[in-house]
Amino acid sequence: MPKMKTKSSCKKRFKISATGRVIAGQAGKQHGMIKRSNKFLRNARGTTTLSKADEQIIKPMMPYAR
């Protein structure tokens, strides 16, 4: 059988945690910080885990992730 290909966009944007959840960067912090509240910016630091429904979309695109 040939190897399955990993979606290039997914390998750049997502990682799989040790427990199998999908980790992604927080959305909404690329530009336009002036109009965002300080509370939003604080809460959008770091990374977040995706919901179960979003994981079902991402995981098939990354067949060899842990």
Side-chain angles (χ1 to χ4, degrees):
M1 268 318 272
K3 292 180 182 176
M4 295 174 66
K5 288 201 171 182
T6 297
K7 193 77 169 176
S8 292
S9 59
C10 288
K11 70 181 167 190
K12 295 172 189 173
R13 291 172 173 84
F14 304 108
K15 283 199 284 190
I16 306 293
S17 70
T19 57
R21 301 296 305 268
V22 179
I23 299 172
Q26 287 280 11
K29 290 197 65 181
Q30 293 295 316
H31 57 85
M33 295 307 115
I34 298 268
K35 63 182 87 169
R36 314 236 194 274
S37 68
N38 287 329
K39 181 179 180 181
F40 174 89
L41 295 176
R42 273 195 315 275
N43 290 337
R45 282 184 198 146
T47 58
T48 185
T49 56
L50 296 186
S51 66
K52 295 283 187 185
D54 290 337
E55 281 182 11
Q56 290 176 351
I57 297 168
I58 299 301
K59 280 192 172 181
M61 297 182 195
M62 302 174 69
Y64 298 108
R66 282 183 260 144

